[in-house]
Amino acid sequence: MIPSIHKRGSETIGLIRYLYGPGTHEEHIDPHLVAAFDPLTPDPGRDPNATYEQLQRLLDQPVNALPKNRRPDKHVWHISMRASPEDPVLSDEDWAAIASRTVAATGIAPDGDEQACRWAAVRHADDHIHIIATLVRDDGRRPRLHNEARRAQTEARRIEADYGLRRIAPGDGTAAKRPTSAERHKAKRRGQDTTSRELLRERVHRALSGAMNEAEFFDRLAAEGVRVKKRTAPSGDVLGYSVAVVGDRNKDNEPVWFSGSKLAPDLSLPRIRKRLAATTDMPEPPAILGRSGASAPVRARHVAAEVTDSALALMASDDESAAAAQLIGVGEVLDALAQTSLGPTQTELQEAARHFERATRSHIRAQNEEMYALRRAANQIVHSGPALGRGRDGTATALVLDVMLLAVIAAARWHAARGHAQQAEAAQQAADRLRTAYQATAAGPLVAMRAYGQRLPASARSRHAATIRAVLPHLADRLQAEPGRDALTAVLDQAERAGHDTAALLTKAAEQHKLGSAELISDVLVWRLHHLGYVTPPASVPRPQRPHSSPATGPAAAAAARLEAPRPRRR
């Protein structure tokens, strides 16, 4: 049950005409009264003798009884109560009870108060009602409406429980404004999957992800195909901005503009400037040591994996401001990955980024300078261009998605521990999408690594098994039973060929984060070793390896030959 308190108005008759009228897009069907302050209130929807003016005069009577100089300028109060799409259709009697509970909870008409404000509830669709009230009580006083929005939300949670409706996580006032019914109907008529408000919010977030300065932000916004209008001072300084979808016009054939703050609380220009300032004149993050032959998308993804892994430590610290900054940075990296991926993976990442956007906002003030490494990583991903879903690009993408999944799950737990129900739910939804994207991306590289491991001579396999047992004696039996053991053997072998101390590398990989809760420990270690082998200098010059024969043939063996992993370097 979603309550939405609308802006206060000055004309009761205007709102009545809208509620009983056909609606902006003919969406109002059978408008009628379901409840009111007085059972004898006239209903213009069902009573042919009742008029809009009669209902208006009845509701406005306490207002008009006051001297003109004491009448409030904005005396019309308006709230809508909307059920979730999956909820059953409620009866008029149910909606009448819900309306009475809502006006009581908000302070419009407390239970037992015979001098309360006058109100009426109109239903013109299956899934919602509108309640109109006038903000002068019968005794001439004003109602006490302190925090009525929060009280409406609290009552909505009780209504959900009492009627067996979908339980909506309680909000904290940091969510973006939901699209209106008119916006949804307009999107459907235009053939859009989402409303213009939602579409613009996603595009502004994409333009902001990793942008280093204001000029780059606006350039990328224009490249998204969005109309941009800047509000400037006489001095020429930009004070704000608005955006519009090309072709989206109002009844006067003018573009429908949305300011950044109307899209989301963190998209106003002042808030964007604070975020951009966090990366201005900051030093570059530590260089990644990867092989010179790696492509720009591969290097960018390894950078992102490195800084996201560091962000995990900050999210587990006691510094809430630093942790809140990491959430914003993780969101930007996720947006950047969604922009530069291809095929089904891109679709899943776009959905993950859309969900996680809600998890980046809370009342905990972010320490913006703590996000600079993540923002620069997002910038590198965007400017490195698209990553193919195969070869080194695919392996690097699977690697960073594995780390991102850990970060998003950590974000869900971080929010849940602080009672941020909506953000925790959004992060969990993002994790579900990320998991799907990771599984699709990682399948090919893992198959190749397993094939490579299976082709190794028995002596090499025994040597690497001994290393695993020496470093991880408490996990060795479990690792041996997992399907990913061959991939783990493969990456250890490649690390050895590149000159790494495999025992030291495996020890470092195991110490990064807890392994016991992982579904497949071998896969986690594969990606950690792969990344450590990429960013860590070898312990020694690699020994030349004599080629060994193997009967393995076919697509798996061919894929293994293209395995993205450190290769022996020539002397």
Side-chain angles (χ1 to χ4, degrees):
M1 184 65 60
I2 303 169
S4 298
I5 295 181
H6 304 268
K7 289 183 178 180
R8 296 182 183 181
S10 57
E11 290 190 5
T12 306
I13 189 67
L15 181 54
I16 290 174
R17 285 173 177 159
Y18 168 75
L19 297 179
Y20 278 97
T24 309
H25 306 290
E26 304 290 336
E27 72 274 21
H28 295 180
I29 301 172
D30 186 26
H32 59 280
L33 209 67
V34 294
F37 76 102
D38 184 339
L40 299 179
T41 299
D43 180 8
R46 294 285 175 84
D47 184 353
N49 297 317
T51 65
Y52 300 158
E53 289 74 13
Q54 285 177 326
L55 179 56
Q56 174 258 320
R57 285 195 297 269
L58 185 64
L59 292 174
D60 279 348
Q61 186 175 339
V63 179
N64 294 332
L66 293 175
K68 287 187 177 181
N69 62 347
R70 289 185 53 201
R71 297 174 188 172
D73 292 333
K74 302 286 186 179
H75 70 274
V76 181
W77 187 85
H78 176 204
I79 187 173
S80 57
M81 300 291 291
R82 183 179 300 276
S84 296
E86 61 269 35
D87 286 336
V89 176
L90 300 174
S91 67
D92 281 355
E93 290 74 18
D94 290 335
W95 280 117
I98 289 169
S100 297
R101 292 175 61 165
T102 301
V103 294
T106 54
I108 290 293
D111 289 335
D113 188 348
E114 296 182 356
Q115 300 296 314
C117 297
R118 300 187 176 194
W119 59 275
V122 177
R123 181 181 188 181
H124 53 214
D126 284 341
D127 63 349
H128 70 279
I129 58 169
H130 292 261
I131 303 173
I132 177 175
T134 45
L135 296 178
V136 176
R137 293 163 46 89
D138 275 3
D139 57 13
R141 295 186 294 118
R142 304 284 182 86
R144 300 182 64 180
L145 297 180
H146 180 64
N147 279 338
E148 80 263 34
R150 181 166 295 181
R151 285 188 279 169
Q153 290 284 356
T154 301
E155 187 62 28
R157 303 293 80 79
R158 297 191 185 105
I159 291 169
E160 290 162 0
D162 292 345
Y163 285 84
L165 307 178
R166 179 194 171 194
R167 306 294 290 271
I168 304 295
D172 61 359
T174 62
K177 184 179 179 182
R178 293 177 179 273
T180 65
S181 297
E183 289 172 356
R184 287 193 295 270
H185 283 288
K186 186 175 185 179
K188 185 176 181 180
R189 191 178 71 250
R190 285 169 51 84
Q192 297 176 184
D193 293 333
T194 58
T195 65
S196 292
R197 183 191 298 273
E198 294 167 311
L199 183 64
L200 290 168
R201 182 162 59 240
E202 291 178 13
R203 292 185 179 180
V204 173
H205 271 291
R206 284 205 298 261
L208 182 57
S209 61
M212 291 292 102
N213 51 57
E214 196 170 315
E216 182 181 354
F217 165 65
F218 281 118
D219 287 345
R220 286 168 59 180
L221 197 53
E224 287 277 354
V226 173
R227 299 190 65 169
V228 181
K229 179 174 65 176
K230 299 178 183 178
R231 181 166 56 87
T232 58
S235 62
D237 294 334
V238 179
L239 302 177
Y241 75 101
S242 297
V243 288
V245 173
V246 174
D248 185 9
R249 296 181 174 273
N250 59 20
K251 61 181 180 180
D252 298 321
N253 202 33
E254 297 172 340
V256 179
W257 297 101
F258 293 87
S259 65
S261 61
K262 295 295 184 183
L263 298 177
D266 57 335
L267 294 182
S268 67
L269 189 57
R271 295 281 293 275
I272 286 175
R273 282 172 171 164
K274 286 183 179 180
R275 192 184 300 192
L276 294 174
T279 40
T280 302
D281 299 326
M282 283 282 185
E284 292 286 345
I288 297 297
L289 300 173
R291 293 177 298 285
S292 58
S295 67
V298 168
R299 293 196 301 272
R301 278 153 176 74
H302 276 279
V303 170
E306 185 83 355
V307 297
T308 304
D309 194 68
S310 299
L312 279 166
L314 283 171
M315 290 166 64
S317 71
D318 294 330
D319 190 339
E320 290 195 334
S321 295
Q326 304 312 306
L327 298 180
I328 297 172
V330 167
E332 292 203 21
V333 172
L334 195 49
D335 268 317
L337 289 169
Q339 293 178 57
T340 55
S341 298
L342 301 174
T345 299
Q346 182 179 53
T347 301
E348 294 296 332
L349 289 177
Q350 286 173 342
E351 286 299 306
R354 183 176 64 82
H355 286 301
F356 194 74
E357 182 265 338
R358 178 67 186 99
T360 63
R361 293 193 305 275
S362 71
H363 284 301
I364 296 175
R365 187 180 298 276
Q367 192 174 337
N368 288 325
E369 59 270 20
E370 292 289 348
M371 72 176 82
Y372 86 90
L374 286 163
R375 296 205 73 251
R376 285 196 180 277
N379 180 271
Q380 291 182 29
I381 291 173
V382 170
H383 287 284
S384 69
L388 301 176
R390 59 183 183 274
R392 291 183 174 184
D393 284 9
T395 304
T397 300
L399 165 71
V400 73
L401 291 186
D402 178 66
V403 181
M404 290 295 294
L405 180 57
L406 288 176
V408 171
I409 292 172
R413 293 171 178 167
W414 187 86
H415 280 301
R418 288 155 182 80
H420 305 162
Q422 286 188 351
Q423 292 91 329
E425 181 181 358
Q428 189 56 57
Q429 290 172 329
D432 293 341
R433 292 289 191 164
L434 260 177
R435 190 175 288 104
T436 301
Y438 161 76
Q439 290 169 346
T441 307
L446 286 174
V447 166
M449 282 188 263
R450 288 169 186 168
Y452 181 99
Q454 291 165 0
R455 294 172 56 236
L456 288 172
S459 58
R461 293 170 63 85
S462 297
R463 184 171 65 254
H464 299 312
T467 300
I468 293 171
R469 188 165 293 277
V471 174
L472 301 170
H474 59 298
L475 295 174
D477 290 339
R478 178 175 169 183
L479 286 168
Q480 183 61 28
E482 287 187 357
R485 64 184 182 277
D486 293 323
L488 180 58
T489 300
V491 76
L492 283 172
D493 189 75
Q494 290 287 8
E496 182 183 72
R497 288 170 177 266
H500 287 287
D501 181 337
T502 55
L505 208 63
L506 183 58
T507 300
K508 188 174 181 180
E511 290 175 346
Q512 283 184 328
H513 303 291
K514 292 181 180 179
L515 289 169
S517 60
E519 183 177 349
L520 291 174
I521 297 175
S522 53
D523 287 359
V524 174
L525 288 173
V526 161
W527 298 123
R528 290 183 188 177
L529 287 168
H530 182 84
H531 182 60
L532 287 171
Y534 187 94
V535 303
T536 305
S540 63
V541 176
R543 302 187 304 274
Q545 301 285 328
R546 288 186 299 173
H548 57 272
S549 60
S550 171
T553 58
R562 298 191 296 273
L563 172 64
E564 158 54 296
R567 297 177 181 175
R569 295 176 295 181
R570 293 180 180 176
R571 292 184 182 272

